[in-house]
Amino acid sequence: MSHTIPKEALTFFKKLEKNNDRDWFNEHKPEFKTIEVKVKAAYNHLGELMNAHDQIEKIKIFRIYRDVRFSKNKLPYKTHFGGSFARKKPELRGGYYLHIQPNNESFIATGFWDPNKEDLLRIRKEFEMDDSEMRDILNNKKFKSTWGSFVGDELKTAPKGFDKTHPAIDLIRRKQFIFTKKYTDKEVLADNFLEEVNTAFTTIRPYFNYMSDVLATNLNGESLL
């Protein structure tokens, strides 16, 4: 089986965007299931590539059905594929995500989407004490050209207990620590797309190594594992 993202995935979602209802989807479900098998194979192949440089514990490909119970958007189906790659816990922290969506909306993401209260405080305390290592990672030429800067939610001011004039306040006030990289439809359908994604994921390692070290130790550098 070819380890590429099939063109039909993008064309199917373009049609689904115009016909996002149960009748149309049920009629075209066999077509979707055939595409889904190929896409799952592509995600699993990417996981194999990643295991050469990381330890991927679990690959999760999200279902196409939307949970509309608490959403204003009542459309029943997602118009994209999304899948996450979890690293081996507890020693390896952070995660990877691959999002496939037509109209040049595909992207990859890495980092910390929703750190729990304890982890968030530990990260902030680290930056308060010393942000130099994080700055070195962020300013590395190869890292920056691949991932740019942090994206995600942040507070407008300092978190409780932190000085709003602290030199690292731009890092301390973050609630998420995420990086993203976008891809065009043409790039997604290229034969070497999964290899390109894997290469981008390898460049995140200095960041993951640093954050894993921070979250596995206390402020004195003593192991918590």
Side-chain angles (χ1 to χ4, degrees):
M1 185 178 281
S2 166
H3 295 305
T4 55
I5 301 297
K7 191 176 182 180
E8 313 92 85
L10 299 186
T11 50
F12 182 87
F13 283 134
K14 282 179 180 176
K15 287 186 277 187
L16 181 58
E17 280 172 5
K18 296 185 174 76
N19 305 278
N20 201 330
D21 61 71
R22 285 180 177 81
D23 289 345
W24 186 90
F25 184 78
N26 287 335
E27 196 182 321
H28 295 84
K29 197 170 182 180
E31 182 189 348
F32 172 73
K33 286 292 177 190
T34 303
I35 294 165
E36 190 180 40
V37 168
K38 293 178 183 174
V39 170
K40 281 184 175 178
Y43 274 80
N44 286 326
H45 178 64
L46 176 58
E48 287 168 18
L49 294 176
M50 291 165 70
N51 264 322
H53 58 84
D54 204 342
Q55 290 175 274
I56 302 302
E57 199 169 46
K58 188 180 174 193
I59 301 171
K60 182 180 180 184
I61 295 159
F62 301 109
R63 298 171 76 227
I64 193 169
Y65 307 99
R66 293 185 65 253
D67 182 358
V68 298
R69 289 172 301 170
F70 309 109
S71 174
K72 286 180 183 173
N73 178 355
K74 296 298 180 188
L75 293 173
Y77 305 105
K78 298 170 188 168
T79 52
H80 65 265
F81 280 110
S84 65
F85 302 81
R87 304 180 77 215
K88 186 175 177 291
K89 299 287 182 289
E91 61 271 36
L92 303 180
R93 306 297 287 273
Y96 306 88
Y97 175 78
L98 169 61
H99 184 99
I100 302 296
Q101 185 171 356
N103 307 314
N104 307 313
E105 294 289 335
S106 298
F107 65 90
I108 55 176
T110 57
F112 298 80
W113 282 259
D114 188 22
N116 64 42
K117 205 166 70 174
E118 292 78 16
D119 283 354
L120 188 56
L121 181 62
R122 176 67 186 89
I123 293 165
R124 285 169 170 169
K125 284 287 185 190
E126 186 69 25
F127 294 153
E128 182 184 48
M129 193 168 71
D130 179 15
D131 64 335
S132 61
E133 208 172 331
M134 186 75 248
R135 300 285 184 201
D136 287 345
I137 293 166
L138 294 174
N139 293 324
N140 175 277
K141 209 171 178 181
K142 188 179 177 187
F143 186 93
K144 206 164 191 169
S145 67
T146 305
W147 293 105
S149 304
F150 276 127
V151 295
D153 296 342
E154 59 182 14
L155 298 169
K156 286 191 168 67
T157 183
K160 193 176 176 186
F162 290 86
D163 177 5
K164 64 174 186 285
T165 64
H166 192 284
I169 196 61
D170 59 316
L171 297 173
I172 291 167
R173 71 178 185 213
R174 300 209 65 83
K175 288 163 45 179
Q176 296 179 307
F177 301 90
I178 307 166
F179 296 95
T180 61
K181 180 174 169 58
K182 290 185 170 184
Y183 290 95
T184 64
D185 291 358
K186 187 180 177 185
E187 288 170 325
V188 167
L189 298 177
D191 289 345
N192 66 340
F193 173 63
L194 297 174
E195 285 74 16
E196 287 286 325
V197 168
N198 182 53
T199 300
F201 282 156
T202 62
T203 62
I204 204 74
R205 276 306 286 282
Y207 169 62
F208 276 180
N209 292 346
Y210 167 73
M211 291 290 259
S212 295
D213 189 44
V214 167
L215 292 170
T217 58
N218 63 21
L219 281 166
N220 294 322
E222 295 157 344
S223 175
L224 299 172
L225 300 180

